[in-house]
Amino acid sequence: MDTNDSLFERARQSIPGGVNSPVRAFGSVGGSPRFMKKAQGPYMWDEDGKRYIDYIGSWGPMILGHNNPEVIKAVHEAVDMGLTFGCATQREILIAEEIKKLIPSIEEVRLVSSGTEAGMSAIRLARGFTGRNKIIKFEGCYHGHSDSLLVKAGSGMLTFGNPSSAGVPTGVTEHTLVLEYNNPSQLEDAFKRYGDDIACVIVEAVAGNMNMVPGKPEFIQTMRKLCTQYGALLIVDEVMTGFRVALGGAQSLYNVTPDITMFGKVIGGGMPVAAFGGRRDVMEKIAPCGPVYQAGTLSGNPVAVACGLATLKLIQQPGFYDRLSAQTSRLIEGLKAAANQVGVTFSARSVGGMFGLYFLDKCPEGFADVMKSDTKRFNVFFHSMLDQGVYFAPSVFEAGFVSITHSDEVIDETVKAAKVAFEKVASI
Ligand SMILES: Cc1ncc(COP(=O)(O)O)c(C=O)c1O
């Protein structure tokens, strides 16, 4: 039994499932999760001292790689000034101004501490602003674990949803319509039927929670058009894509203007910062200016904001996203070639610094396609890579992330390991 096995056994005595967030438990790939001790640049080390090339990046935030010296310096300086005040601070203005500068659809922005909070608050705001209850989300998209968003499709696509988690009352989910991703005509039908009652549509423009599936431009444009036509708000969830797929987020790639945008991950640079923001007339419905209640003891925490602010500054260096995209493409192309060499059915793609690996003959277009993934082959690949010191997400439903510190050498080492892993896959 190695250190990770014994720590997992011990963790399960005091923590449900041994982890504080389910995907960390290796439930779908089997085996013990790795207990990490430290990280630097593109690497993490576990409690056994084994080194891994990290393609999770804490599920997105670590775009600069781990422990960027300028970010760490900013955090140290903030820590020395006090951990939290529960009062307004100047840095909160600076980060709000920085977000507004980079994302033109944002006129005002409110900081929270997690993407879940951002999603929950954005939905409440949309309902409060429109005076309507019904919301539309898409199968395979994830917007955090608040009640009204933990929904699976009803008996027919145009019937309202059922809870996807125990403990969520049907009274909450009965207002949520779950539609197929990348299906604009179904969205049109839904608006024809319920349009005057719909408060908002919430979407990941590049979905990263059913592996990675980019929205089709027609799908996103139809959504914008219908929301405007029927007086519903468009919420684009950029918790994962914000400052990750491009400096201006997914909305810059699709040239779409959301009414509300959610952020998380990169804006905290590895600390708990998330946000929702958008049109001034919408945002001014929030307390203390308006009747929609929303609050947080640690919202805008000075240390976390210092970390986010330093990160947002560094990603604006000239050529940052060109390099990030090039490194991510290098990885994808290398992996595809390695799979091809031994005849393993495999496809992959990337958008900016985010990627999807699929044990499928072609890249998926929605949830039903992703469900066809060969999980047995993925698991063999995953464990072989892990043994060789390369850490991909432990599930076929997760996207992957590259940082600016993933050099050619790091990526080439990954591809070399993948050749061994694909050979194993080919032999099963
Ligand atoms: C697109 C998206 N929205 C919301 C969330 C929820 O964020 P958090 O885990 O910070 O609550 C996530 C988390 O992975 C996400 O990927």
Side-chain angles (χ1 to χ4, degrees), residues 26 53-56 59 331 335 355 357 378 381-382 385-386 390-395 399-401 414 418:
F26 275 30
I53 300 174
D54 179 16
Y55 287 103
I56 304 183
W59 304 99
L331 172 73
L335 293 179
F355 64 86
L357 310 180
F378 169 77
F381 175 79
F382 169 81
M385 294 304 277
L386 196 66
V390 182
Y391 204 135
F392 283 118
S395 159
F401 304 98
T414 307

Side-chain angles (χ1 to χ4, degrees), residues 30 37 50 84 90 93 117 135 145 160 181 237 248 270 277 286 299 305 317 325 337 348 359 376 410 427:
K37 190 167 185 174
K50 179 170 167 139
T84 175
Q90 195 172 349
I93 309 172
E117 259 186 277
I135 65 174
H145 64 276
F160 282 81
Y181 195 73
D237 180 348
I286 295 176
S299 292
V305 169
Q317 294 167 86
S325 303
F359 282 80
K376 198 169 149 206
V410 168
S427 70

Side-chain angles (χ1 to χ4, degrees), residues 89-101:
T89 59
Q90 195 172 349
R91 268 200 211 94
E92 290 162 87
I93 309 172
L94 298 180
I95 200 166
E97 288 174 352
E98 206 63 30
I99 295 169
K100 283 174 61 171
K101 183 181 91 188

